[in-house]
């Protein structure tokens, strides 16, 4: 596996230049994401609990698909590929894996919070990249959990290799 020395300043420079050079795309993506969070609250009446729950589940699922699309677009930038708006919906086939992964992540963090909060915070951070592995490698949630679990061992040092 190819590793290279990780530089914080290089990472920040890459992020800034990528954002600057693709500002229109990022603004469009943020507007789409904003609509996902605004629309449910404007179309449902607060007194209809069942409708509220159904609409929120639909929009949460749609938000998960869009979130995976954001990850795909970000990873394309890192791979020096040109993303497009259509990449926003390119991960629909991973919905079930991401849904299971999200539920597992929530359970892990919840159990950590029950164990006196600090483990919950640690596991929240530790397993943060679970969906990234599912999207990038198109692997299942259990395999992604294993890879994410090994990630701190890889990052603990001078060399950076995301996919050990």
């Amino acid at each position: 596996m190819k590793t290279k020395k990780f530089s914080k300043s290089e990472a920040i420079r890459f992020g800034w230049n990528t954002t600057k050079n693709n500002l229109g795309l990022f603004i469009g993506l943020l507007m789409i994401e904003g609509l996902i969070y605004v629309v449910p609250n404007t179309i449902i009446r607060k007194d209809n609990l069942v409708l509220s729950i159904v609409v929120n589940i639909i929009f949460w699922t749609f938000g998960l698909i869009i979130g995976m699309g954001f990850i795909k677009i970000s990873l394309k930038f890192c791979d020096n590929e040109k993303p497009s708006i259509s990449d926003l919906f390119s991960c629909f086939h991973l919905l079930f894996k991401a849904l299971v992964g999200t539920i597992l992540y929530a359970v892990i963090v919840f159990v950590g919070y029950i164990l006196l909060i600090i483990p919950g915070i640690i596991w929240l951070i530790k397993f943060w990249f679970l969906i990234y592995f599912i999207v990038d490698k198109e692997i299942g949630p259990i395999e992604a959990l294993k890879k994410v679990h090994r990630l701190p061992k890889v990052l603990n040092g001078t060399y950076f290799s995301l996919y050990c």
Side-chain angles (χ1 to χ4, degrees):
M1 178 66 43
K2 182 181 174 187
T3 59
K4 68 178 189 175
K5 192 167 175 89
F6 180 75
S7 165
K8 291 177 193 172
S9 61
E10 183 180 328
I12 291 170
R13 188 173 20 264
F14 173 80
W16 176 251
N17 289 333
T18 301
T19 301
K20 209 169 45 171
N21 295 333
N22 299 283
L23 194 58
L25 176 67
F26 286 120
I27 289 172
L29 292 173
L30 288 173
M31 289 172 59
I32 290 169
E33 185 176 28
L35 287 174
I36 290 171
Y37 295 106
V38 170
V39 170
N41 292 323
T42 58
I43 65 171
I44 48 178
R45 294 176 44 193
K46 301 298 179 199
D47 59 343
N48 191 339
L49 183 62
V50 175
L51 180 63
S52 176
I53 290 171
V54 169
V55 169
N56 278 307
I57 288 172
I58 290 169
F59 274 87
W60 180 85
T61 304
F62 189 65
L64 182 61
I65 294 168
I66 297 294
M68 289 188 301
F70 282 179
I71 292 169
K72 184 73 159 187
I73 288 170
S74 299
L75 291 171
K76 279 192 167 190
F77 278 121
C78 291
D79 292 337
N80 292 319
E81 297 176 19
K82 186 72 176 166
S84 67
I85 293 287
S86 64
D87 289 322
L88 210 51
F89 303 99
S90 66
C91 296
F92 185 78
H93 66 285
L94 298 171
L95 179 61
F96 182 73
K97 292 177 181 180
L99 184 61
V100 172
T102 302
I103 291 168
L104 285 172
Y105 177 66
V107 168
I108 289 169
V109 172
F110 179 73
V111 168
Y113 282 138
I114 289 174
L115 297 173
L116 300 175
I117 298 180
I118 300 300
I121 294 170
I122 292 169
W123 293 342
L124 177 103
I125 295 166
K126 180 178 183 125
F127 294 106
W128 185 264
F129 292 103
L130 177 71
I131 298 296
Y132 283 79
F133 278 96
I134 291 172
V135 170
D136 189 34
K137 299 298 184 186
E138 296 194 6
I139 58 178
I142 301 299
E143 188 178 349
L145 274 172
K146 291 175 184 175
K147 287 189 175 287
V148 171
H149 179 67
R150 289 194 320 234
L151 191 59
K153 294 174 187 162
V154 175
L155 295 176
N156 187 20
T158 315
Y159 294 95
F160 177 79
S161 173
L162 186 58
Y163 305 109
C164 52

